[in-house]
Amino acid sequence: MHSRYTGLIEKYRDYLPIHDDTRIISLAEGNTPLIRLHNIPKLLKNEVALYVKYEGLNPTGSFKDRGMTMAITKAVESGSKATVCASTGNTSASAAAYSARAGITAFVLIPEGKIAQGKLAQAMMHGAVIIQIQGNFDDGMRLVKEVAQHAPITIVNSINPYRLQGQKTAAFEIIEALGRAPDYHCLPVGNAGNISAYWMGYTEFADIGIVNKRPKMCGYQASRSAPFLRGHPIDNPETIATAIRIGHPQSWDKAINAQKESGGWFDEFTDAEILKAQKLLAEKEGIFCEPASAISIAGAIKDINNGKIPEGSTVTCTLTGNGLKDPDTAIQQSTTPLIKVKAELGEVKTAILQKM
Ligand code: F0G
């Protein structure tokens, strides 16, 4: 028996559509930590057990790797030589990495000028064919669906059912870490695949009796990109949290079902509120997530303080992506000036003493 962790397909193969002889394309994704927050809860009006599922520690720095290991494994199994996706950045980084690992070509459609630098760097490094479109994610999604009808190419967006299969394993891990399901699960909602996948995972473990209850699902959106709050898809979505700059979510029905069946809710936050939560998490807990991910913290804080999430609850927040993905936004919002001194002891000492 070896103990080397070899990825979520191996670990959860009994729960995934995988054959014994399937060649698994993996980068040892999953198995991310569930970290209990200690400092932010002290600032809240009600006492809860608050945890973050730090998905930024996946191989390409986001939760997309969970779905991508499945999607690429199945693409290769079916003989596909190329993948295509539309992306706000993380899917393209993940598709590029896993396609490279499999030795097939990744085509990625990204909105020109609207993806974080780290994500672009990843797609470039992994050798994806990058097609920048003069449009947004929703335009890209439409084009991907059209082009796949005319070319032998596998779509690896979350409309590919294997994506959600892989992503549901995050719910399995949370249940294993807590020994139960949380009472509330908070997460960002963009294309709405992830909220659907978590609900699928929680439901599966409840159905086979591993847990006897499921969490209420709380989905949070950026105010100018909040179709679930408006009740219909929207055109021209905007937000500084470019990962969730989406107006026409593909998993609309599944997400509505997750919210309704769980007794959860959707809410929205402004860019300023999103950035404030990102900074708070980084400053108070030492955890750096990207802006889109921080909306789950903004949501949890609001709903714990207003009592919608009651005292004594166990709450999990998914931190979908690593803060290092988007250094530009982090640096731009930083208000602490950098101190510049000569390389001399006296000046360094003075600088330190002033701040003690
Ligand atoms: N958080 C991050 C960091 C994301 O990259 C995404 C989606 C979401 C949250 C929302 O998840 O779409 O399942 O509701 N990013 C996609 C992409 C759209 O192309 O990388 P969702």
Side-chain angles (χ1 to χ4, degrees), residues 63-64 86-91 119 137 188-194 243-244 246 290 292-293 320-321:
F63 73 98
K64 304 288 179 179
S87 182
T88 56
N90 281 323
T91 299
K119 302 172 187 180
F137 171 85
V189 174
N191 209 21
N194 212 27
I244 50 173
I246 296 171
E290 63 174 287
S293 312
T320 46

Side-chain angles (χ1 to χ4, degrees), residues 36-345:
R36 183 151 183 184
L37 300 188
H38 291 309
N39 300 320
I40 290 178
K42 288 187 194 137
L43 308 172
L44 305 181
K45 292 194 186 122
N46 293 308
E47 209 173 311
V48 298
L50 183 57
Y51 297 87
V52 293
K53 181 72 171 156
Y54 194 14
E55 290 289 276
L57 293 187
N58 274 297
T60 76
S62 87
F63 73 98
K64 304 288 179 179
D65 296 342
R66 290 183 186 274
M68 208 54 74
T69 184
M70 272 302 299
I72 302 294
T73 292
K74 296 305 274 189
V76 168
E77 187 181 62
S78 71
S80 181
K81 296 273 180 283
T83 63
V84 66
C85 67
S87 182
T88 56
N90 281 323
T91 299
S92 63
S94 189
Y98 282 80
S99 297
R101 180 83 161 164
I104 61 179
T105 307
F107 294 89
V108 305
L109 274 69
I110 55 172
E112 187 184 14
K114 293 289 185 180
I115 84 166
Q117 285 295 299
K119 302 172 187 180
L120 182 60
Q122 289 177 289
M124 292 168 87
M125 280 303 283
H126 295 305
V129 179
I130 300 169
I131 304 166
Q132 301 197 71
I133 58 168
Q134 288 160 357
N136 60 28
F137 171 85
D138 302 310
D139 296 316
M141 204 56 247
R142 173 175 51 79
L143 291 163
V144 160
K145 287 198 264 187
E146 283 169 17
V147 85
Q149 289 178 358
H150 302 284
I153 197 164
T154 306
I155 299 177
V156 294
N157 282 105
S158 55
I159 56 171
N160 176 327
Y162 298 118
R163 278 278 311 276
L164 300 196
Q165 285 292 323
Q167 284 171 219
K168 75 183 178 185
T169 60
F172 295 171
E173 290 178 14
I174 289 173
I175 287 170
E176 284 169 4
L178 293 174
R180 51 166 290 194
D183 300 310
Y184 295 84
H185 189 105
C186 306
L187 78 175
V189 174
N191 209 21
N194 212 27
I195 188 171
S196 309
Y198 269 92
W199 187 238
M200 205 194 244
Y202 284 127
T203 300
E204 233 173 277
F205 266 21
D207 284 349
I208 56 176
I210 294 180
V211 287
N212 56 20
K213 59 172 288 230
R214 299 175 291 175
K216 290 186 169 40
M217 301 298 296
C218 311
Y220 301 114
Q221 300 209 280
S223 286
R224 290 175 296 154
S225 304
F228 287 106
L229 278 298
R230 307 292 163 259
H232 54 77
I234 59 157
D235 295 330
N236 307 316
E238 275 308 335
T239 170
I240 193 151
T242 50
I244 50 173
R245 185 175 167 269
I246 296 171
H248 290 248
Q250 296 295 310
S251 295
W252 182 277
D253 293 343
K254 288 193 184 80
I256 294 281
N257 177 63
Q259 175 257 317
K260 288 212 168 121
E261 213 175 288
S262 74
W265 55 83
F266 293 109
D267 203 350
E268 61 183 289
F269 291 89
T270 63
D271 285 358
E273 289 168 322
I274 291 170
L275 294 180
K276 193 173 156 208
Q278 185 196 19
K279 190 82 165 48
L280 186 76
L281 185 70
E283 271 188 4
K284 298 289 177 200
E285 302 282 1
I287 302 169
F288 189 19
C289 68
E290 63 174 287
S293 312
I295 205 168
S296 61
I297 298 296
I301 290 175
K302 177 179 171 187
D303 289 330
I304 291 163
N305 277 338
N306 68 20
K308 247 171 133 177
I309 295 177
E311 177 114 8
S313 300
T314 295
V315 184
T316 49
C317 294
T318 305
L319 300 181
T320 46
N322 198 302
L324 295 171
K325 293 264 190 181
D326 190 357
D328 297 334
T329 304
I331 290 169
Q332 275 159 25
Q333 72 150 313
S334 177
T335 48
T336 327
L338 302 182
I339 301 166
K340 209 165 145 185
V341 298
K342 292 209 182 83
E344 285 171 3
L345 176 62

